[in-house]
Amino acid sequence: MTRTALIAGRGDLPERVAARLSLEGAPPVLAELEGFESLSLARDGVVRFRLERLVPFLDRLVDLGVTRAVFAGGVHRPRLDPALLDPATMQLLPRIMAAMGQGDDGALREVIALMDEWGIEVVGVQDICPELLPDPGQLGTQAPTAQDISDIARGFGILQAMGAADVGQGCVVARGQCLAMEALPGTDAMLAHLAHLRPGALPEGGVFCKAPKPEQDRRIDLPALGVATVEAAHSAGLRGIAVAAGGVLLIDREAMIARADELGLFLLAEP
C-alpha cells in the first residue's frame, strides 16, 4: 500500500489534505519544517525537520514506508545554520545552495529531485483534492463590470511578467494601474498594506488577480486562497478576485462564494 507523507506548512489547507488522505486508507505521515508549524496540525506524532538535516529526514520517511509526498500550506525558504548540518546533508550543500540561488522555483525543483532520488514521488494537492481547483466561469452572484474585465486582463499580463522573474503570484489592478504586487511576505501582507493606504490618492475599486507562475512545477507551491482572502480583498476596497482556472486552489469554496456574495465581491475563474 502507498503511504503518503504530508509536508505541512501554515494555513487551513494541510488539515483538509490530511483528512482526505486518511479517508484513502493508511493515515499520512505528518511532517513540518521547523519554524513553519501548522497550528491546525499541532498534535503528537508529527515529524519535524530542518533543512540542515534533510538527509536524516528523507531516510526517516523511507523507514516509515513513505513512497509518496504532498506539500500543503505556506512556508518560506529558511535561513541555514551551518552548525546544524549533519555529514550526509553536508555533501548535498552545494546542490542545495545552488538551487536556493535560483529563486523559489529552482529550490522547489531541487526538493522534488531529491525526494525522487529517495524513491518518494511528489504529487500535487490537486491530485489529492481535485475539487479545490475551479473550472472557468463566474463563481457566486456578483459579476465583473467592463472595467473589471479590463483590469483582469491587465493583471494577468502583469502576473506573466512577474512569474517569469520568479517574483510572486498575485497583483492588484485598478483602472489599468497596478496598485500592488505580491512578493515574499505574501498575499495577506500585500492586501493589508493596500487597505492601510486607503482612503487616499489611489484609484477606487480594483481587482486582485492570482495565478501560478508560468513555468513552475505545479506539484508544489500552487497558490491557494480562502475565506480570509475574500475578507482581506474587501477590506482593501477591491471589487473582486480573479484566479486562473485550474491553477489556484480554493479552500472551502462554498464558504468563499457565500462570503463574497455577502460582501458584494465577484469571484471569477479565468480560462
Side-chain angles (χ1 to χ4, degrees), residues 226-249:
V227 174
T229 313
V230 174
E231 294 174 342
H234 177 260
S235 296
L238 304 185
R239 285 190 35 79
I241 297 172
V243 302
V248 177
L249 301 165

Side-chain angles (χ1 to χ4, degrees), residues 48-112:
R48 292 188 171 85
F49 68 98
R50 295 186 62 92
L51 192 57
E52 296 93 338
R53 296 187 57 80
L54 182 60
V55 169
F57 169 63
L58 293 175
D59 288 342
R60 175 80 183 281
L61 293 183
V62 172
D63 290 343
L64 291 170
V66 169
T67 58
R68 186 174 72 161
V70 58
F71 289 74
V75 298
H76 297 307
R77 282 182 290 170
R79 182 175 299 174
L80 294 179
D81 184 348
L84 298 178
L85 284 162
D86 66 274
T89 306
M90 178 73 79
Q91 296 181 31
L92 295 177
L93 190 59
R95 286 179 61 179
I96 295 172
M97 296 305 295
M100 292 180 72
Q102 295 172 12
D104 289 343
D105 287 351
L108 294 173
R109 282 193 293 269
E110 188 62 27
V111 169
I112 291 173

Side-chain angles (χ1 to χ4, degrees), residues 102-105 158-168 213-215:
Q102 295 172 12
D104 289 343
D105 287 351
I158 291 170
L159 291 180
Q160 284 284 323
M162 289 171 58
D166 194 14
V167 174
K213 299 170 187 174
E215 303 299 326

